[in-house]
Amino acid sequence: MSFVVGLLIGLVVGLGLIVAFVRSENARSKSRSQLAATVAAFARMTVEDSRKLLAPEYYPSWLTWLNEHLTKIWPYVNEAASELIKTNVEPILEQYRPIILSSLKFSKLTLGTVAPQFTGVSIIEDGCSDGITMELEMQWDGNPSIILDIKTRVGVGLPVQVKNIAFTGVFRLIFKPLVDELPCFGAVCFSLRHKKKLDLTLKVIGGDISAIPGISDAIEGTIRDAVEDSITWPVRIVIPIIPGDYSDLELKPVGRLEVKLVQAKELTNKDIIGKSDPYAVLYVRPIRSRTKTSKTISNQLNPVWNEHFEFIVEDASTQHLVIKIFDDEGLQASELIGCAQIRLNELEPGKVKDVWLKLVKDLDLQRDNKNRGQVHLELLYCPFGMKNGFTNPFAPEYSMTSLEKVLNSGEEDMDSAENGGEIKNKRREVITRGVLAVTVISADDLAPADVMGKADPYVVVSMKKTAAKNKTRVANDNLNPVWNQTFDFVVEDGLHDMLILEVWDHDTFGKDYMGRCILTLTRVILEGEYKDSFQLDGAKSGKLNLNLKWMPQPIYRDS
């Protein structure tokens, strides 16, 4: 009897210990989860979030000290800064002067009595041992006295006052080179690293600026362009502190970015009747002379451009390529469909990067769950001075191992003209001619197109520029057809042509579209031959299995 009682007591105690242990582990797990969530929340905090939690009096004491001393010395800084801004910005205002104006100059420029306030600072570790890079976040709600002397083409003079300036941005300061004598650096260069906000109001003194249609928007756009072109990174203003040569700190081109705008797909429709008329705007620096615009594709949500653009790069470590897709509205302002960007430091110099970029509403927006479409790009960054090895394509040892040998490459021939020794740059453009062999091997998981849940697929293979076309045989009642058919195309300009493969369902009285693949010839020119599978665009499912082979016959053409 005592054995049974002891056994029961042991079971009860054991179960109790097990229950207590499980509850303890659950409590610890819940505590760890809450702690992990808290740590993750702090990791996602931005400077703006911290300002919501911390009042200004809790900012670091040295930052408060810096703002207090800046306020004290502001009257002396104001005069020098005003003259510096006027000297640098006025020529750029004239450069971007709207066509409706004959003159655009400052008649008065002072920065007012309100000093800017620094709200954050960080030291940038760029691996440079000969200098210090610092970024200061600045906020300025100033009361400047800025008057523009504007003259229109019809001879009307307008004194325009710039009021209510509100600015927030991040400035980058580079102290370089470091020296032994005070103040321990030879020069300082500054630049606007990131412009977060720039609001202003324009007012005609003694009149209404809206009396002349379009002039307010034109002047405001000119001011914003001048800010972008005069002080926005990578532009930098160098101020010598100790006499010396600081030309290495000035803005210099460091490379060239080749961009092929291939296509876009699944764009948002902005038109009530019909479809959008998309075109693309691309830039590395958002100034007019550096901005490229594609042609407009009418009534199309899956446009194919296949256009090539070239950009000068000044700082590959910080600059981005930005692409914005607009819907052309004719006489009305174009409507933004979406935008995307890619950092240039993601590109390996001399190597092609093939990317699909998701379009978002705003580049500063962290999350955008709406599907606005995708854009397809091919990118190649070539630093100046890089040896691309493009010599004689007809030589026996010639081997096409990288795209830089064919993509807008060539020699820079410096020829002295007989009349006065004038120097001319002549470029030799490579025309990549050859034979493309396309083997349509098979397709997998095609979407049913017939009532019985099957399809009778065949593939139409064509070249975009030459319109040369071939098609496979029909594979009856098959969603995983095998063709193994090869077609040869003579391609006159492989760098600018495209291969289009469309899958159709054969019917007795017509045909049904089942999807398509659009391929540039970049990869096959680069690799010579490859085999791969490609998803069908415009289809619920399905992919094509292809083998492409390129037999080159490159030629030269002076341009």
Side-chain angles (χ1 to χ4, degrees):
M1 183 68 181
S2 59
F3 174 76
V4 175
V5 172
L7 181 61
L8 291 176
I9 293 174
L11 288 173
V12 171
V13 172
L15 290 174
L17 289 174
I18 292 173
V19 171
F21 177 76
V22 170
R23 295 189 63 179
S24 173
E25 286 299 306
N26 289 338
R28 290 180 61 190
S29 176
K30 184 177 180 181
S31 176
R32 286 195 298 266
S33 299
Q34 291 174 345
L35 179 60
T38 303
V39 172
F42 275 108
R44 291 193 299 268
M45 279 183 60
T46 62
V47 176
E48 288 75 14
D49 296 330
S50 64
R51 292 198 185 111
K52 294 176 183 177
L53 297 175
L54 297 175
E57 56 265 25
Y58 293 104
Y59 287 176
S61 58
W62 58 266
L63 197 58
T64 304
W65 175 88
L66 179 62
N67 288 326
E68 289 176 353
H69 281 71
L70 180 60
T71 302
K72 292 178 181 179
I73 66 173
W74 182 247
Y76 308 100
V77 174
N78 183 5
E79 183 177 352
S82 299
E83 186 61 32
L84 182 64
I85 292 174
K86 183 176 181 180
T87 303
N88 285 275
V89 174
E90 195 169 71
I92 299 175
L93 282 177
E94 187 65 23
Q95 177 184 346
Y96 288 112
R97 172 173 47 84
I99 194 171
I100 60 176
L101 303 180
S102 61
S103 176
L104 178 59
K105 297 181 179 180
F106 289 111
S107 63
K108 183 178 181 181
L109 194 157
T110 59
L111 298 180
T113 58
V114 178
Q117 296 293 296
F118 294 108
T119 56
V121 63
S122 61
I123 303 298
I124 307 301
E125 297 183 3
D126 54 3
C128 177
S129 60
D130 192 31
I132 298 175
T133 302
M134 177 186 296
E135 289 192 349
L136 289 167
E137 185 176 89
M138 189 187 79
Q139 181 176 335
W140 185 46
D141 295 315
N143 59 345
S145 178
I146 302 176
I147 299 177
L148 295 171
D149 184 15
I150 295 174
K151 292 183 180 179
T152 64
R153 292 288 183 184
V154 295
V156 179
L158 298 173
V160 175
Q161 185 178 12
V162 183
K163 301 176 59 179
N164 304 327
I165 293 181
F167 172 82
T168 302
V170 177
F171 281 89
R172 172 170 286 192
L173 303 177
I174 301 176
F175 303 92
K176 188 178 180 180
L178 300 180
V179 296
D180 295 331
E181 55 184 301
L182 291 175
C184 300
F185 52 88
V188 57
C189 59
F190 71 91
S191 175
L192 177 59
R193 180 69 179 85
H194 178 48
K195 180 186 68 179
K196 294 185 176 181
K197 184 179 77 170
L198 176 59
D199 295 330
L200 53 90
T201 303
L202 300 177
K203 181 182 178 182
V204 173
I205 299 176
D208 183 7
I209 197 168
S210 62
I212 304 179
I215 194 169
S216 177
D217 292 340
I219 296 173
E220 185 172 337
T222 300
I223 292 174
R224 294 182 185 276
D225 284 342
V227 171
E228 292 285 354
D229 199 8
S230 60
I231 62 172
T232 301
W233 185 266
V235 177
R236 69 288 304 265
I237 297 175
V238 180
I239 303 175
I241 305 299
I242 299 175
D245 180 15
Y246 303 109
S247 58
D248 59 319
L249 297 178
E250 297 175 355
L251 179 68
K252 295 178 181 178
V254 297
R256 184 175 67 247
L257 177 67
E258 308 280 356
V259 179
K260 179 178 281 190
L261 173 64
V262 183
Q263 60 178 318
K265 65 179 181 180
E266 301 174 1
L267 297 180
T268 303
N269 191 8
K270 295 292 184 178
D271 292 348
I272 299 175
I273 301 176
K275 299 177 181 178
S276 296
D277 307 311
Y279 69 93
V281 174
L282 304 94
Y283 60 82
V284 173
R285 287 180 58 193
I287 54 179
R288 298 181 198 179
S289 59
R290 300 281 192 92
T291 300
K292 311 294 185 181
T293 303
S294 74
K295 61 178 179 287
T296 300
I297 308 294
S298 299
N299 198 39
Q300 182 61 259
L301 299 181
N302 298 284
V304 178
W305 288 287
N306 196 33
E307 294 187 58
H308 173 258
F309 304 99
E310 182 178 295
F311 299 92
I312 295 298
V313 177
E314 287 97 355
D315 187 354
S317 64
T318 61
Q319 287 186 292
H320 301 72
L321 172 69
V322 176
I323 176 169
K324 296 184 177 181
I325 309 295
F326 291 91
D327 175 28
D328 188 0
E329 298 288 354
L331 298 177
Q332 298 179 353
S334 298
E335 189 173 359
L336 178 67
I337 296 176
C339 52
Q341 67 178 2
I342 182 170
R343 296 178 62 92
L344 300 190
N345 61 9
E346 297 178 15
L347 307 179
E348 183 181 352
K351 302 298 180 183
V352 176
K353 187 178 181 70
D354 187 293
V355 293
W356 280 93
L357 300 178
K358 182 180 182 294
L359 297 177
V360 296
K361 181 180 180 180
D362 190 333
L363 294 176
D364 295 327
L365 209 61
Q366 297 297 321
R367 295 180 180 177
D368 187 356
N369 295 324
K370 183 176 180 181
N371 182 23
R372 303 177 188 276
Q374 300 180 66
V375 61
H376 183 196
L377 303 173
E378 286 182 350
L379 308 169
L380 173 65
Y381 172 57
C382 295
F384 290 144
M386 180 180 180
K387 301 298 183 181
N388 58 20
F390 194 95
T391 52
N392 180 11
F394 301 101
E397 69 274 13
Y398 174 71
S399 175
M400 197 172 298
T401 59
S402 60
L403 188 66
E404 62 266 21
K405 293 182 178 179
V406 293
L407 187 57
N408 272 353
S409 60
E411 299 176 354
E412 295 291 333
D413 297 327
M414 303 298 291
D415 296 332
S416 297
E418 294 180 0
N419 52 354
E422 182 184 359
I423 301 297
K424 296 182 179 179
N425 287 325
K426 294 181 66 178
R427 189 170 196 168
R428 302 182 73 198
E429 180 182 358
V430 180
I431 308 302
T432 308
R433 185 178 186 274
V435 177
L436 176 67
V438 182
T439 302
V440 184
I441 302 172
S442 61
D444 298 324
D445 194 26
L446 296 179
D450 295 341
V451 178
M452 303 301 293
K454 292 287 186 178
D456 306 313
Y458 65 95
V459 181
V460 177
V461 187
S462 62
M463 303 302 301
K464 182 176 176 61
K465 290 189 72 172
T466 61
K469 186 178 295 186
N470 279 296
K471 66 179 181 180
T472 68
R473 62 180 177 272
V474 177
N476 294 315
D477 294 330
N478 203 330
L479 299 181
N480 297 281
V482 176
W483 292 287
N484 276 323
Q485 290 183 259
T486 300
F487 307 100
D488 292 336
F489 296 92
V490 176
V491 180
E492 295 296 335
D493 188 0
L495 295 179
H496 302 98
D497 212 339
M498 304 182 79
L499 176 66
I500 302 175
L501 301 104
E502 296 179 317
V503 182
W504 296 87
D505 172 47
H506 176 74
D507 290 330
T508 304
F509 301 104
K511 57 183 181 180
D512 297 321
Y513 180 72
M514 299 182 68
R516 72 175 181 181
C517 295
I518 299 178
L519 307 176
T520 67
L521 306 189
T522 302
R523 183 179 173 188
V524 71
I525 292 174
L526 177 67
E527 298 181 11
E529 182 176 6
Y530 72 90
K531 180 180 179 181
D532 207 344
S533 298
F534 301 91
Q535 289 293 135
L536 291 175
D537 291 331
K540 293 181 180 179
S541 63
K543 62 181 180 181
L544 277 178
N545 303 309
L546 306 173
N547 187 88
L548 303 183
K549 184 177 181 180
W550 177 255
M551 291 155 281
Q553 299 174 355
I555 59 175
Y556 283 118
R557 179 180 67 190
D558 288 338
S559 61

